[in-house]
Amino acid sequence: MMSYADVGLQRAARWVYDLPEAPKLQYLQQVEGRWSPYRSVASLYLWAAIDHGYVDSGRDLASFVVAE
């Protein structure tokens, strides 16, 4: 289960999908269907991205992807 009201998870989901800023925090509701049935695991990864400073780094997710 995912906490849709969690502001940190909302911010991280917005960062992952490079979504425009919206007045209502509904980023998780927009993308959580893609994560089913692994919503709890997705939450852990989103929190790890926050904890490691990726979300607030000012860089988008693509800049962290290593090309092989």
Side-chain angles (χ1 to χ4, degrees):
M1 181 159 189
M2 183 172 280
S3 175
Y4 296 115
D6 188 304
V7 176
L9 292 178
Q10 293 282 351
R11 195 174 80 237
R14 179 177 171 263
W15 173 75
V16 166
Y17 290 104
D18 197 26
L19 297 171
E21 203 159 330
K24 293 183 180 178
L25 295 176
Q26 297 179 346
Y27 304 112
L28 290 176
Q29 292 87 333
Q30 292 177 31
V31 299
E32 61 93 19
R34 301 175 189 179
W35 302 334
S36 181
Y38 303 103
R39 291 181 193 101
S40 295
V41 175
S43 295
L44 294 174
Y45 278 104
L46 293 175
W47 273 113
I50 293 168
D51 290 343
H52 291 282
Y54 298 131
V55 173
D56 296 321
S57 69
R59 295 168 58 192
D60 63 4
L61 180 62
S63 68
F64 292 103
V65 177
V66 179
E68 293 185 39

